[in-house]
Every structure is written in structure tokens, then in C-alpha cells.
Amino acid sequence: MMEPAVTGTKNVMTAAAEAKVRRVVLTSSIGAVYMDPNRSPDVIVDESCWSDLEYCKNTKNLYCYGKTVAEQGAWDLAKKKGVDLVVVNPVVVLGPLLQPTVNATTIHILKYLNGAVKTYANAVQGYVHVRDVALAHIVVFETPSAYGRYICSERMLHRGEVVEILAKFFPEYPIPTKCSDEKNPRKQPYKFTNQKIKDLGIEFIPVKQCLYETVKSLQENGHLPIPKLAKDSVKTH
């Protein structure tokens, strides 16, 4: 996980500097932003926030650790080599699949539909449509005044809210209704702002539409069987 994130980013930044490109847009992650146990729940997470590397290491969250080290390395190289760098920090990216295989973020939704899990986690995450992430990259590349980092997130949802949305759209699937952790209080989402990217004209696709399109794409690509009941319903309407 470390090698492609850190060395890959370094290689691209070095090549970009040598080629004297006008601007580099780096896809980082919210994982490089929000992992900080010392941040007060009242603090609004914005582009000035960075994940705590020691905390990432101690909790064995190598994804966030790798993304943080890679992005910090990119900023160091940009400064050193005079590269105009802009960074997009997306949350969990969902929506229609381009590739034939299922990726890790899509499995996150698929498992709630195919019976792989019987409960949902007591956890919160941010969600964003893949089309908005793609558009964010174009906008920050083409807008001369764009600078620094841009959090790319439509909204935060508890997993309980995710399964509720899925159940409303697709009641024919065995979607979990119980939380795996009923002892502890329901996790509350951290506060964040996406105003900086909105100021560049991004209007986010609602997360409900994002989840709906993700499931339809899984069905169309053969990753999720359409129950007979649903097929019959489609024929009669």
C-alpha cells in the first residue's frame, strides 16, 4: 500500500517537474485529512486539517498513513521543484462502474445487498458521486485561481442511514436492519465543509442518487442478481 502511494506520487511529481507542466492535480483522499484523535468534535474539518501519522500507524490504518505521507511528499516536491500543485481529497467514491470488476469502495455497498453481512457497522463516512470527483479534477485544473487542497464530499452518513436508503430503493434485497454494535452510542459524523470546492461551481449530486446508481450499475454489470420479484415488477410496469 505504501509503495504505489508514496513512490508513485514522487515519481509522477518528479516527471511533471522535468516536463515543466503547467499544473499537477493530485488525487489524494479524505484519509489524509480527518484521522486525528486530538481534534475536538466541534472543530469543522477543512482543507487545513491533516491526519495524524502516529495515530494512523498505531491503529494500523495504512491506507490513511500512505495517503498522508504521499500527499505531504507531493507538497514538499512541488515547493522544491516549483510545480503548481492542486490536490483533490475525495471521501468514499461511489456511482456507476467503468471497469468490469468490483473495487473496494463498491464492495462496501454490495455486501449490504447480497447477504454477505447480517448487520451494519456503527460507523460514519463521507460519500460522493464519481462524476463529481471527475468534474472536480477538471475544474481545479482549468481554474487559474484554484490552489491548495479541496475536500470533495457531498455528505456524511452513518451506515444505518446507508442501509435505510438502500432498503427504500431496493426492498427486494436482504439488507441488514441491525447494527453490529448495539452497546455503544451511535457514532456521530464529524463536521466538515465542502464550501471551497463549491465556490468553484461544483454542485454535488445527492448521495441518494449516488447510492441508487451504484446498485443499478452492479446489477447491469452482473455483480448483483436481480431478484425474480423485481424482474416481474419491471415487466408489469
Side-chain angles (χ1 to χ4, degrees):
M1 203 167 275
M2 291 295 293
E3 190 70 15
V6 180
T7 311
T9 303
K10 184 182 174 185
N11 289 345
V12 172
M13 288 298 294
T14 303
E18 286 169 2
K20 295 183 171 54
V21 300
R22 183 162 62 87
R23 172 172 283 175
V24 174
V25 178
L26 169 69
T27 313
S28 183
S29 165
I30 198 69
V33 177
Y34 82 102
M35 290 282 286
D36 182 0
N38 303 313
R39 191 184 63 247
S40 158
D42 298 323
V43 171
I44 294 172
V45 173
D46 65 11
E47 286 79 4
S48 68
C49 299
W50 282 90
S51 291
D52 183 293
L53 286 174
E54 281 307 303
Y55 179 67
C56 292
K57 210 188 286 183
N58 295 339
T59 53
K60 295 185 168 54
N61 194 326
L62 294 181
Y63 175 81
C64 292
Y65 184 86
K67 288 292 184 183
T68 307
V69 172
E71 192 190 330
Q72 286 176 345
W75 283 114
D76 289 344
L77 267 170
K79 200 174 175 183
K80 205 179 290 177
K81 295 183 180 288
V83 175
D84 178 10
L85 175 67
V86 184
V87 175
V88 178
N89 298 85
V91 287
V92 174
V93 182
L94 294 173
L97 295 165
L98 277 180
Q99 75 283 1
T101 54
V102 178
N103 56 12
T105 49
T106 314
I107 286 171
H108 165 68
I109 299 303
L110 181 60
K111 69 183 180 187
Y112 291 135
L113 297 150
N114 63 7
V117 294
K118 306 298 177 203
T119 57
Y120 58 84
N122 183 14
V124 293
Q125 269 178 315
Y127 295 88
V128 67
H129 198 293
V130 65
R131 295 192 199 284
D132 288 334
V133 179
L135 183 59
H137 283 71
I138 294 166
V139 168
V140 301
F141 180 71
E142 292 184 345
T143 307
S145 60
Y147 70 96
R149 311 166 89 198
Y150 287 87
I151 289 174
C152 195
S153 175
E154 200 273 317
R155 72 177 57 234
M156 299 282 298
L157 290 178
H158 188 277
R159 297 284 170 80
E161 294 172 297
V162 172
V163 295
E164 277 172 25
I165 294 167
L166 292 173
K168 274 180 188 166
F169 282 135
F170 304 99
E172 63 271 23
Y173 290 107
I175 296 162
T177 55
K178 285 190 173 180
C179 184
S180 58
D181 172 15
E182 293 184 330
K183 290 178 185 174
N184 294 304
R186 187 171 165 123
K187 288 260 174 72
Q188 294 304 307
Y190 58 83
K191 297 169 185 168
F192 78 95
T193 177
N194 57 8
Q195 194 56 50
K196 192 179 175 194
I197 192 83
K198 277 183 168 180
D199 288 345
L200 295 183
I202 297 283
E203 292 178 14
F204 286 103
I205 296 165
V207 72
K208 285 183 180 180
Q209 187 180 333
C210 181
L211 287 166
Y212 178 81
E213 288 184 18
T214 301
V215 179
K216 294 306 280 185
S217 177
L218 286 167
Q219 291 175 335
E220 287 159 12
N221 284 280
H223 299 302
L224 183 66
I226 302 172
K228 188 175 184 302
L229 187 70
K231 281 182 182 169
D232 293 345
S233 160
V234 169
K235 282 176 193 168
T236 57
H237 287 83

